[in-house]
Amino acid sequence: CTGTDASSCLGKDAAWASTSSAIVSGDVVAWVSASSGQVVNCASTTGPCSQQNFPPPSGHWGTPLRIFKVDAAGEVAVAGATIHPGDSVYFYGMQKYDWAPTHIVNCVAGQCSGSASHTIAGSLFTLALPQPLLPATAIELQRDGSSVTWGAGLQPSEAAATQRWNLRKCTGTDASSCLGKDAAWASTSSAIVSGDVVAWVSASSGQVVNCASTTGPCSQQNFPPPSGHWGTPLRIFKVDAAGEVAVAGATIHPGDSVYFYGMQKYDWAPTHIVNCVAGQCSGSASHTIAGSLFTLALPQPLLPATAIELQRDGSSVTWGAGLQPSEAAATQRWNLRKCTGTDAS
């Protein structure tokens, strides 16, 4: 909604129809189902959210929700902070036309509801995109508010080409089929899945990181990798919120958490895990999976027209059914439509 309260968001269709600007922390939004075109209304404090028409008519103060981004440390972002696909967020609603920050919306199997008993930490959703990750997709490798930066390791996230990467995919699976074989990298456009062989290609330089060393930082090399550059190919694996590594072949989406391991002397070395800190990235057997996770974030901000999934632990909010196992279904796709107003009126 372009407004910020009940008076500017209820019974004001234009306040919802005219918004195309990026969604930021603190905005007033509604969960609009891609399958039904209706919304959830979480007015009740004792029962589940109901299903109502959109835009919300006068009196439907349970429909507008405020969205806030939350970082990996559990800190809530200030109002106005940009939200991207892949971010974690929570929502709170109104009670009797006034904002009620403790009336937090959460979902379990079967239903969603609003309640003062819900906590922020227990009510987080990841804004996941339904389309899989492609080699041509520009992404950021993020962790705790920082992004992997060309030649500089982890640095505070900003809108910079040096923090954008393509995970270019090799059609082969080993050194002999991926090194000195330019066509093996140039011809791949299929979705990236867990276990694939990829290279971190910098959007700013067109070069790659090469993490052959076990004692020093990754170097910067040409792409596609020539013969002998066995430090460039990496295997990518998705990791769920419980720390479980996905099986090879599992689809990877923007917003997922992943880790990477490389080769040692032309052979895959699953313990040679790539990690980044401020100033550098490196490969080492001392790196752990849990300590080397990156979120695949999209650099563009979240828009009201962007179809997203509200995910948690392998499940997605589903129209009329609360949290259900994630699948490619329209009932699990949502638009966070934004109101030009700020309150119910």
Side-chain angles (χ1 to χ4, degrees):
C1 178
T2 56
T4 58
D5 55 18
S7 63
S8 53
C9 289
L10 300 181
K12 306 288 176 65
D13 290 8
W16 300 89
S18 63
T19 51
S20 59
S21 59
I23 295 171
V24 299
S25 208
D27 268 349
V28 180
V29 300
W31 291 10
V32 183
S33 166
S35 62
S36 70
Q38 292 185 298
V39 293
V40 296
N41 180 299
C42 301
S44 176
T45 58
T46 57
C49 303
S50 61
Q51 302 173 4
Q52 303 293 340
N53 291 330
F54 178 80
S58 298
H60 284 216
W61 45 261
T63 293
L65 303 171
R66 292 194 76 189
I67 181 174
F68 282 91
K69 180 165 69 172
V70 180
D71 67 19
E75 294 294 323
V76 178
V78 297
T82 304
I83 295 175
H84 297 86
D87 284 342
S88 292
V89 298
Y90 85 101
F91 303 84
Y92 69 74
M94 294 184 179
Q95 284 294 285
K96 298 180 180 178
Y97 297 96
D98 292 321
W99 289 116
T102 60
H103 188 69
I104 295 172
V105 176
N106 193 23
C107 298
V108 294
Q111 69 175 46
C112 298
S113 61
S115 174
S117 67
H118 295 157
T119 64
I120 293 174
S123 306
L124 295 177
F125 299 99
T126 298
L127 301 173
L129 293 181
Q131 63 263 34
L133 180 67
L134 300 175
T137 305
I139 54 94
E140 294 182 4
L141 297 161
Q142 291 189 345
R143 183 190 304 149
D144 300 340
S146 293
S147 296
V148 178
T149 305
W150 178 245
L154 280 176
Q155 299 294 329
S157 297
E158 58 180 341
T162 53
Q163 294 187 339
R164 295 183 184 177
W165 303 83
N166 292 102
L167 298 182
R168 296 291 295 275
K169 177 176 172 178
C170 180
T171 56
T173 58
D174 56 16
S176 63
S177 55
C178 290
L179 301 181
K181 304 288 176 66
D182 291 8
W185 299 90
S187 62
T188 51
S189 58
S190 59
I192 295 170
V193 299
S194 208
D196 269 348
V197 179
V198 300
W200 292 9
V201 182
S202 167
S204 62
S205 71
Q207 292 185 299
V208 293
V209 296
N210 179 300
C211 301
S213 176
T214 59
T215 58
C218 302
S219 62
Q220 303 172 4
Q221 303 292 341
N222 291 332
F223 178 82
S227 298
H229 283 217
W230 47 260
T232 293
L234 303 171
R235 292 194 76 190
I236 181 174
F237 282 91
K238 180 166 69 172
V239 180
D240 69 18
E244 294 294 322
V245 178
V247 296
T251 305
I252 294 176
H253 298 86
D256 284 342
S257 291
V258 298
Y259 85 101
F260 303 84
Y261 69 74
M263 294 183 179
Q264 285 293 283
K265 298 181 180 178
Y266 297 96
D267 292 322
W268 290 116
T271 60
H272 188 69
I273 296 172
V274 175
N275 194 23
C276 298
V277 295
Q280 69 175 44
C281 298
S282 61
S284 174
S286 67
H287 296 157
T288 65
I289 294 174
S292 306
L293 295 177
F294 299 99
T295 298
L296 301 172
L298 294 182
Q300 62 264 35
L302 181 67
L303 299 175
T306 304
I308 53 94
E309 294 182 7
L310 297 161
Q311 290 188 347
R312 183 190 306 149
D313 300 341
S315 294
S316 296
V317 178
T318 306
W319 178 246
L323 279 175
Q324 299 294 330
S326 298
E327 57 181 342
T331 53
Q332 294 187 337
R333 295 183 183 176
W334 302 84
N335 294 102
L336 299 182
R337 296 292 295 274
K338 180 175 172 179
C339 180
T340 56
T342 58
D343 58 15
S345 60

